[in-house]
Amino acid sequence: MGQRREVDYSRIKASPNVRPVMAIPADSGRNVKPSVLTIKAFAVDISKPLTSAIAKITSRATGKTQQFSLVNGQLERVFTGADVLAIEVSGEGYTTVFRSMTIALSSAGNRYEFDAQLDPATIKLTVWAVDSRTNKLISDARFTISGKAGKTTLLLTPDSATGLVKTDLPGRGIYQLTSSANGYGDFTKSIKLDSVQSEARVMLTPKKTPDINQTQALPEAVVKSAKTTYVGTPAAKPAFRGPTLPSSLPMPVVTKKPFGTLEKGKAIPLKNIYFDQSSPVLRPESAPELDQLAVVLLENPSMQIEIRGHTDNQGDFDLNVKLSCDRCQAVVDYLVNKGISKTRLKAVGRGPIDAIAPNNNEENRKKNRRVEFVVI
């Protein structure tokens, strides 16, 4: 009868939620078969194999650590001798899972399985704002960060001692960053975060005059991670719709009818509305035109309007319709932020359907890329 060996687990790194597997002595006879260990990696749940996972296996018998890529999210290893293993499974952008496992031999051939479920790693983001001319820290800057649709928007203020904002975000992806400070133009842009440790420096441009109708120089965001430096330009398909703009922005005084005579059913173009390339993100210089529209709506509390978006015929038809709809929704969101009831506004994306010029050259296509409103 084989003797039981006491195994020292003190040097094996294991998850605090996983208890070590007690050693099982191998059959004392010579008629034993190899044991097989199968490791599978999943993103969050077992329905999503994580194909980019890495497994590190440390052998107690040899004292060596080996690293393996999990092809299609799975790894299989054969053992011809008993061993005690420390297993670490990780993936870029995900948490790391640890497990200790004892491998024993038997005449039947043992099979061992380790299903590693990895959660998305939290992104630790540090943000600060500087003057675009002097590069000096702006200590009273305020920040808003929002992510995918349905995610909570974070309102952040800098630490009074350092001027920095530090926050945790739920995972990698594209986020919308908004910043404002006294005496500076507002900043809104999409940033891409793909590293567990990321930094974003916002460069704000001082206002030349208190007149909000004066177009400010566009600010710039520089995002750094441990691997790359990314200048904050919007992605082609952002995961969210419109910007979150500060509601405290004062309304301009309208001394004349900015859109002419308003008639029910008449399409009136919004001539100074600008979006980021292939994106529904409003640019800051759109504010004067939209503020005037908000004033008209406030002066006519019974008026209801339909915001209509149009594109040229370049690219996929369905994507163009979606882009035009998302841009209209961004305008609606802006007006709601100015105090206009959402029930008075309707967003309609028409895509390339209602062209006002042939799409035969860039000048004509530019005419077709437009936003209008119609009194309904």
Side-chain angles (χ1 to χ4, degrees):
M1 182 174 180
Q3 294 182 347
R4 180 180 297 274
R5 291 189 300 120
E6 294 297 330
V7 179
D8 178 9
Y9 290 94
S10 61
R11 298 177 61 189
I12 300 176
K13 192 176 184 181
S15 168
N17 298 321
V18 180
R19 297 179 63 185
V21 180
M22 296 305 295
I24 302 175
D27 286 2
S28 59
R30 295 183 178 179
N31 186 25
V32 294
K33 294 182 179 180
S35 293
V36 179
L37 168 63
T38 301
I39 301 175
K40 297 179 181 179
F42 302 95
V44 183
D45 60 64
I46 60 174
S47 65
K48 301 175 182 178
L50 186 60
T51 57
S52 60
I54 298 293
K56 291 183 180 179
I57 301 177
T58 300
S59 166
R60 177 66 183 278
T62 65
K64 295 181 179 179
T65 299
Q66 292 179 290
Q67 179 171 300
F68 306 92
S69 296
L70 274 64
V71 180
N72 297 323
Q74 183 171 320
L75 172 69
E76 190 172 280
R77 299 291 297 166
V78 177
F79 294 85
T80 58
D83 206 343
V84 178
L85 307 177
I87 306 171
E88 174 184 321
V89 181
S90 61
E92 186 177 358
Y94 291 88
T95 56
T96 300
V97 176
F98 301 94
R99 174 90 176 265
S100 62
M101 182 173 289
T102 299
I103 305 295
L105 303 182
S106 71
S107 58
N110 297 330
R111 298 193 67 89
Y112 300 90
E113 293 186 356
F114 175 21
D115 291 343
Q117 294 177 236
L118 280 64
D119 295 323
T122 300
I123 297 290
K124 294 187 178 298
L125 175 65
T126 301
V127 187
W128 68 97
V130 298
D131 187 300
S132 63
R133 297 178 181 177
T134 65
N135 207 35
K136 291 184 177 179
L137 186 71
I138 303 173
S139 59
D140 66 342
R142 300 169 297 280
F143 301 93
T144 299
I145 298 177
S146 56
K148 297 180 180 179
K151 297 293 185 182
T152 302
T153 297
L154 301 177
L155 303 176
L156 307 170
T157 54
D159 180 89
S160 57
T162 64
L164 304 179
V165 170
K166 295 187 177 182
T167 186
D168 290 344
L169 299 174
R172 295 181 300 171
I174 296 174
Y175 290 82
Q176 181 175 314
L177 177 62
T178 299
S179 179
S180 60
N182 295 330
Y184 292 87
D186 293 330
F187 164 93
T188 299
K189 214 166 189 68
S190 301
I191 60 174
K192 182 180 180 182
L193 303 179
D194 57 5
S195 176
V196 174
Q197 296 284 348
S198 296
E199 297 177 347
R201 182 188 63 187
V202 176
M203 301 177 69
L204 298 181
T205 302
K207 290 181 179 179
K208 294 182 180 179
T209 69
D211 182 6
I212 67 166
N213 290 315
Q214 182 173 351
T215 302
Q216 302 293 325
L218 291 180
E220 177 183 349
V222 179
V223 180
K224 287 186 177 182
S225 69
K227 295 183 178 180
T228 59
T229 299
Y230 176 88
V231 177
T233 55
K237 298 178 183 178
F240 41 82
R241 290 190 172 182
T244 303
L245 298 175
S247 57
S248 60
L249 191 67
M251 289 291 188
V253 177
V254 180
T255 57
K256 62 180 181 179
K257 294 182 178 180
F259 305 108
T261 303
L262 301 180
E263 300 176 6
K264 185 172 289 190
K266 177 183 176 182
I268 300 175
L270 294 169
K271 297 180 180 179
N272 298 306
I273 302 298
Y274 305 97
F275 298 90
D276 285 344
Q277 181 72 31
S278 301
S279 164
V281 176
L282 280 166
R283 297 179 69 85
E285 59 264 44
S286 304
E289 185 88 346
L290 293 179
D291 287 344
Q292 295 209 51
L293 178 56
V295 170
V296 171
L297 290 168
L298 290 171
E299 292 177 345
N300 299 272
S302 63
M303 181 187 295
Q304 297 183 353
I305 64 172
E306 184 176 275
I307 306 295
R308 295 180 182 175
H310 306 272
T311 68
D312 58 31
N313 67 346
Q314 303 298 295
D316 182 82
F317 177 86
D318 291 336
L319 292 178
N320 281 334
V321 172
K322 183 179 185 305
L323 176 62
S324 63
C325 184
D326 289 347
R327 285 180 167 177
C328 291
Q329 188 59 49
V331 173
V332 168
D333 292 342
Y334 186 100
L335 295 173
V336 169
N337 229 13
K338 290 297 178 181
I340 309 302
S341 173
K342 195 172 184 178
T343 59
R344 301 173 58 193
L345 308 169
K346 183 179 180 181
V348 178
R350 301 286 292 171
I353 297 175
D354 300 325
I356 60 174
N359 285 289
N360 54 2
N361 58 55
E362 179 55 29
E363 186 63 29
N364 282 339
R365 287 192 289 269
K366 186 176 181 180
K367 296 177 182 178
N368 290 329
R369 299 192 294 267
R370 67 197 190 279
V371 177
E372 306 168 330
F373 76 91
V374 178
V375 179
I376 57 177

